Structure formats: C-alpha cells, structure tokens
Amino acid sequence: MSRRDELLKDGLERAGIGRDVSQAALDVDAVLQRWRRRVMKRDFGHKALHDLDLPIDLAQLDVLMAVRAPANEFGDEDTSCETTVGTVAQRLSIDPSRASRVSTDLIRRGLVQRAVSQQDARRAVLELTEAGGRIVEAVRTYKLLVLGSFFRDWTMQEIQTFLPLLARFSEWSERAEQPGGPVESEIAELRASLAGIVGDEG
C-alpha cells in the first residue's frame, strides 16, 4: 500500500472509520472507478446495438426504454402511468428539451407514436409502435442473455447473497449527497484546508 493510502486510512480512522472498513472503502472505490470508466463509455450498449444491427444510437435507445418503462428499471416508480415527454426526462434525468428532441426523432422514424391521454384528452402521451417495442424487447433479451450467461457459473446461494447487497449498496450515492453525522466535521476540515488553493478568475 502506498504512503498516501496509509495517510488516508489514518485520517479515516480519526473520523471513527476503522482500518478494515477504510481498506474496504479503498478497494470498493478502485472497483467503482474501473467500472465507471467502462460504464461511461457504455461499451455494453454499443455492443448490443452493433450485434443486433440496429440503426439507432444510445440516446434513442434510452428514450425507447423510458417510454417502455420496464417495471424494475426505474426504481419504485409507478410504471403503469401514462408516459409524457416530461416523464421520459424525469426517468432519464435529462433536460425536457432534449427528451422532446429525441422523442420527436423517434416519432419521425416510426418507433414512437403520440396518443391522446385517457386521463386528460388535452394531453399527448408517448407510446411505442410495434417496431419500437420489438427493438426494446430485443435489447432487453440480449442483455438478459449476456447477464444470464455470466451468472450461470454462480451458485444460487451466491446470487441470493449478492442481489440484496447490491441493492443495499446502490443506496450509497443518495446518502453521499448528505453525508452528515460523524464525518461532517472532517469534510469541513477538508474544505478549509483547500481554501485559496485555486485562485479566482477575473
């Protein structure tokens, strides 16, 4: 272990985080950084579109998925509700204008269609066409085939242990937005130590 990591672990220990947990945090962060670089490039999505010979890009695929809204893909949201451009923007955490542009392009290409809301006749909703639905189901099947082949060598006990832990870990980013508690003072010290290290422009 590098001297810097040792110093970092010492600092975490002063914050009440044990050395074993500190090492685990370092190891998890390293795995996440490697995973993030792959995820940000979206290698898997690009490969799915390539292998299935689909003439759409990832942004268009994302919107198709958001319109289809697989029940387990957008958290605990009620995916039985009608889908509008605003719903797509919310599900994908993108600007509504971008959601509107991509949706319009998909409508032009015959993969999404506008329909009249059954709840409010003044409102337009988005639905997949038959072609759009076939693309979504093909990509989802592709993804499940690849994931299924990966998990094929895992025991059921490993899978049953992994899934709830993964779900539990996925909540860390929400907590990270408001760390508070015992590390709040240490974060304040970090902020103070960096004061003035970068000069203001202008």
Side-chain angles (χ1 to χ4, degrees):
M1 176 178 297
S2 70
R3 176 61 177 164
R4 287 184 178 180
D5 282 352
E6 281 291 350
L7 292 173
L8 180 57
K9 288 175 69 174
D10 289 342
L12 293 175
E13 192 169 9
R14 287 194 297 274
I17 300 173
R19 293 187 73 81
D20 288 344
V21 175
S22 298
Q23 183 59 54
L26 286 169
D27 293 341
V28 168
D29 182 63
V31 172
L32 286 178
Q33 292 304 318
R34 293 193 296 270
W35 191 13
R36 178 186 61 81
R37 287 189 284 271
R38 293 293 302 274
V39 169
M40 290 298 287
K41 292 195 300 182
R42 301 194 63 180
D43 293 343
F44 187 66
H46 284 295
K47 183 167 175 47
L49 294 179
H50 176 270
D51 288 353
L52 296 175
D53 196 24
L54 292 173
I56 60 174
D57 60 31
L58 287 176
Q60 293 167 335
L61 177 61
D62 287 342
V63 170
L64 288 175
M65 287 291 184
V67 173
R68 163 68 169 76
N72 63 343
E73 198 155 313
F74 295 97
D76 295 327
E77 177 187 356
D78 178 11
T79 54
S80 64
C81 66
E82 295 178 325
T83 300
T84 65
V85 169
T87 310
V88 169
Q90 181 179 12
R91 286 172 177 165
L92 298 178
S93 298
I94 60 176
D95 188 271
S97 62
R98 176 167 174 74
S100 178
R101 286 195 302 272
V102 179
S103 297
T104 298
D105 188 45
L106 290 170
I107 290 170
R108 181 182 60 79
R109 302 186 68 173
L111 300 177
V112 171
Q113 62 189 5
R114 288 192 179 93
V116 176
S117 168
Q118 299 299 309
Q119 301 171 4
D120 183 351
R122 298 167 299 178
R123 184 175 63 180
V125 296
L126 301 176
E127 298 175 349
L128 294 181
T129 63
E130 180 183 355
R134 289 178 61 188
I135 287 175
V136 167
E137 291 310 312
V139 172
R140 294 192 76 221
T141 300
Y142 177 97
K143 180 166 60 176
L144 294 176
L145 285 169
V146 174
L147 283 172
S149 66
F150 174 78
F151 283 119
R152 185 165 49 194
D153 296 331
W154 290 40
T155 67
M156 186 52 61
Q157 181 179 359
E158 288 173 330
I159 293 173
Q160 291 173 344
T161 299
F162 172 72
L163 289 179
L165 290 176
L166 179 63
R168 180 179 171 186
F169 177 71
S170 70
E171 298 174 0
W172 88 274
S173 59
E174 297 176 8
R175 297 186 183 184
E177 292 177 0
Q178 298 178 327
V183 299
E184 191 169 358
S185 61
E186 281 73 19
I187 292 174
E189 289 180 13
L190 280 173
R191 182 172 61 247
S193 72
L194 296 172
I197 196 170
V198 178
D200 293 333
E201 295 182 0

